[in-house]
Amino acid sequence: MLVSLDLSQSPRRCYDQRLSVIRESIGTVGFIERELTHGCAMRINLSDRQTESKEPSLGNRRGTRAASRQFPPPAYRLAASISKLLSKSSLLVLCLAVLIFPGVSLHGRPQPQIKITVKVVNVLATVRDKRGQIVSTLSRNDFVLEDNGRPQGITYFATEKDLPLSLGLLVDTSGSQVQVLGQERMASQKFLDDMLRENDQAFLARFDGAVVIYGLSSSREKLAGDFQSLLGPRASGTVLYDAAVSVCNRVTSKLDGRKAIIFLTDGVDNGSQHSLPDAIMAAQRADTVVYSILFADEQFYPDVQGPSIPSPAGRRSPVNTVPLPQSLPSQELSQGRDTLERISKETGGRMFVVSRKEPIDQIFSTIEEELRNQYALGYALGADAGSGYRKIRLATKQKGMIVQTRAGYYAD
């Protein structure tokens, strides 16, 4: 995440912008040092700030104190309140120079326009105990965070259960999913009806030989109409990787806050121009968590045993359900499972397999529970962080906890 501030605006807008960025950019703030000098200026420096090259003379110091006494009370209170707010941070990350009154010179010199860029990393995590139960009572001090092997201070931490969420459902409508599509559609629509809350939004995408993305919306009526479109004509092929890249680049990369997508597919790709690493990279660059639900049709994979559901003609047709990996007779389907496991794990999500013991409705309930009990953490990159792919290691100090989070991110 890159945060830029233009400090050439009016004083009130300048402060409003800074306060907004402080709240929205994961609480990443730095140490503040007020120096009320002639010209009414306030400087904010890092902990390794350079000392002044020249010590002010006694006369200048007296002039500074005199100017401080003449500092307008409202502006002084504003500066003091901002200082009090920012000084609570434990990480020294921002380097700002703020003019309270643009155009007013400091020591008689015109002040240039200043823009500040801050790199902030957002991390979403779910924690489970040894029994697989979600743990939602941890605090900031219970976590240990490393970036490329270097310990990081957590400057933002939240455990709210109702943080706004943007959620996408990517439904495989290729030939291998025809028999299970109806059940997928009904379960997915119910899931969104239960999941979406006031500040949430969702979108639907379908993929076979092509990718179709429906508009983002918080309207259940609009989403219900999109679900009906899943039953439309299909194109030959299954471009799963292309679907992931397209959705992340075109939709989730442009959204702020928590973002997740859920694949409903057998995991088999046939015809994508992109690769699995491309799909993972797109999701990581877009800060998007990927969940996968493997749903296989026994008629398309005849060696796979599964339960039956009524067919449109009243007959009972065997569908869905995949046994454990070692029981899979289909090499193609086994590779599909490996694909879904990898993209889910590396982006901080999970892969599920529809089965008799874990039907699709139960899987959706598990996903909803995870999304409603995530920890949101944030930290700032140092000046020497560089660019490219960087690994994240997030763990708890308490042993026996399983932390589910993304494997890394791209700093550029």
Side-chain angles (χ1 to χ4, degrees), residues 38-314:
H38 182 66
C40 304
M42 180 175 69
R43 298 184 310 177
I44 306 173
N45 301 328
L46 286 173
S47 59
D48 58 351
R49 58 195 180 280
Q50 298 179 351
T51 57
E52 294 294 330
S53 59
K54 291 184 180 180
E55 182 70 15
S57 64
L58 179 61
N60 287 340
R61 289 198 294 269
R62 290 174 178 171
T64 299
R65 288 195 295 270
S68 299
R69 287 194 297 270
Q70 297 173 5
F71 194 94
Y76 177 82
R77 287 195 298 269
L78 179 60
S81 64
I82 294 175
S83 174
K84 183 177 180 180
L85 172 65
L86 299 185
S87 62
K88 294 181 180 180
S89 173
S90 60
L91 186 65
L92 314 180
V93 296
L94 292 185
C95 180
L96 305 176
V98 181
L99 289 182
I100 294 179
F101 297 103
V104 177
S105 63
L106 181 62
H107 300 301
R109 297 173 185 167
Q111 299 303 305
Q113 294 183 3
I114 302 172
K115 288 189 177 181
I116 307 301
T117 299
V118 180
K119 289 184 179 180
V120 179
V121 182
N122 307 320
V123 181
L124 293 174
T126 302
V127 181
R128 294 181 178 273
D129 61 20
K130 294 179 180 179
R131 298 174 299 174
Q133 300 299 312
I134 286 182
V135 179
S136 58
T137 57
L138 301 179
S139 68
R140 180 199 310 251
N141 295 329
D142 291 319
F143 288 92
V144 177
L145 177 63
E146 293 181 359
D147 182 297
N148 265 7
R150 298 180 62 178
Q152 300 292 324
I154 299 173
T155 58
Y156 174 82
F157 184 84
T159 58
E160 290 90 346
K161 297 180 181 294
D162 297 315
L163 290 172
L165 172 69
S166 297
L167 182 65
L169 286 176
L170 280 64
V171 182
D172 185 346
T173 54
S174 64
S176 64
Q177 297 295 100
V178 171
Q179 296 297 322
V180 298
L181 187 58
Q183 189 175 353
E184 287 180 347
R185 181 176 61 84
M186 290 186 293
S188 300
Q189 188 168 348
K190 182 179 184 302
F191 165 68
L192 286 185
D193 285 342
D194 295 339
M195 182 74 191
L196 292 184
R197 300 184 183 179
E198 182 178 359
N199 295 321
D200 296 337
Q201 51 188 350
F203 67 95
L204 198 64
R206 55 174 289 184
F207 63 95
D208 32 58
V211 181
V212 179
I213 303 174
Y214 301 92
L216 193 70
S217 176
S218 57
S219 167
R220 287 175 170 79
E221 291 75 15
K222 194 267 183 188
L223 292 170
D226 293 341
F227 274 109
Q228 294 297 324
S229 302
L230 294 179
L231 303 177
R234 301 185 309 274
S236 177
T238 311
V239 290
L240 188 153
Y241 305 147
D242 287 354
V245 172
S246 182
V247 164
C248 290
N249 289 348
R250 294 169 55 187
V251 182
T252 61
S253 65
K254 297 176 173 57
L255 301 175
D256 296 323
R258 296 192 308 142
K259 299 168 283 186
I261 59 176
I262 302 174
F263 273 104
L264 290 100
T265 177
D266 55 18
V268 177
D269 185 279
N270 181 17
S272 282
Q273 296 182 357
H274 294 89
S275 64
L276 175 57
D278 292 336
I280 294 172
M281 179 187 297
Q284 290 178 335
R285 287 188 180 277
D287 292 340
T288 302
V289 178
V290 179
Y291 283 89
S292 303
I293 301 177
L294 195 157
F295 213 143
D297 178 3
E298 183 184 351
Q299 288 185 335
F300 201 83
Y301 300 99
D303 294 331
V304 178
Q305 299 299 317
S308 301
I309 60 172
S311 67

